Amino acid sequence: MNSPTPVFDAHLHIIDPKHPLVENNGYLPDPFTVEDYLMHIGGLGIAGGAVVSGSFQGFDQCFLVDALSTLGPDFVGVTQLPPDTSDDRILELDRDGVKALRFNIARGGSATVDELDHMARRVHDLAGWHSELYLDARSIDADLGDRIASLPAVSIDHLGMHSDGLPALLRLVEHGVKVKATGFGRVELDPVAAIRAIMDVDPSALMVGTDLPSTRAQRPFENADFDVIAEALSPEEISAVFWDNAAGFYLGRARG
């Protein structure tokens, strides 16, 4: 994508072998360090982003704090926490650059759905964090949809994963939920159709990301994925989707 706008990579993983990993369903990823990430994104215009904890990183934040100290202040962390985490620890992580709590419903390894409501509200009230959900939107029944819609600030990964879940996803977008256009190598939907449907409901909802290194995806991120997103947008929508929406959500400001 050739665009004068900077890009906020709303979804990336750093896998540093210096820090502990936990098998998830027998899976352990290959290393993907900060240096690897910076090498992969050359030429994409990425000027900020969100480093997201994976299921295989459990409740460890050492890798996250380490990565953020290298990447700089326009990168933030998204972590997983057990429900008994102290207020002091949450505030310490906030000072280290963590700005969101992830619930990995699809893979496990994080707080459960039953803990979602309490934990999401707690971190928002305490530190202003939002919550991020990795789930298949087909699993959003009426009860879960109501619970998600009532939360103070939420995003959903990878366009909700499946085309059959798009109606449920769009109902959440109507309630202010943000959505990441990420992980095209792992979704079962037409990204262009999903992007346009989301933009037609709420142009401030959509954020982009690389999903690097695309662990367990059928194919890894390709630079052309950003072209697919850009071609689905009008010229007037590019800046918002590629930077402003995510930078406002994660950093509290539209421009880096």
Side-chain angles (χ1 to χ4, degrees), residues 125-143:
D125 291 345
L126 182 64
W129 292 4
H130 67 266
S131 294
E132 304 201 353
L133 308 182
Y134 177 26
L135 49 67
D136 185 326
R138 291 175 296 179
S139 69
I140 303 173
D141 57 18
D143 176 65

Side-chain angles (χ1 to χ4, degrees), residues 70-171:
T70 303
L71 289 166
D74 283 344
F75 285 81
V76 301
V78 180
T79 194
Q80 300 172 154
L81 293 174
D84 60 354
T85 304
S86 70
D87 287 357
D88 286 345
R89 178 58 175 157
I90 293 169
L91 293 172
E92 179 184 16
L93 290 169
D94 183 69
R95 290 190 293 271
D96 287 331
V98 177
K99 298 299 173 186
L101 181 63
R102 192 184 201 206
F103 296 87
N104 196 326
I105 297 167
R107 299 281 186 198
S110 66
T112 66
V113 174
D114 290 338
E115 295 156 345
L116 168 62
D117 189 85
H118 172 72
M119 283 291 288
R121 294 179 188 280
R122 182 181 165 215
V123 298
H124 185 269
D125 291 345
L126 182 64
W129 292 4
H130 67 266
S131 294
E132 304 201 353
L133 308 182
Y134 177 26
L135 49 67
D136 185 326
R138 291 175 296 179
S139 69
I140 303 173
D141 57 18
D143 176 65
L144 181 57
D146 288 345
R147 291 167 70 178
I148 294 171
S150 72
L151 295 176
V154 188
S155 69
I156 292 180
D157 295 345
H158 310 320
L159 296 170
M161 302 292 292
H162 199 285
S163 59
D164 291 347
L166 187 58
L169 183 70
L170 294 177
R171 284 192 290 272

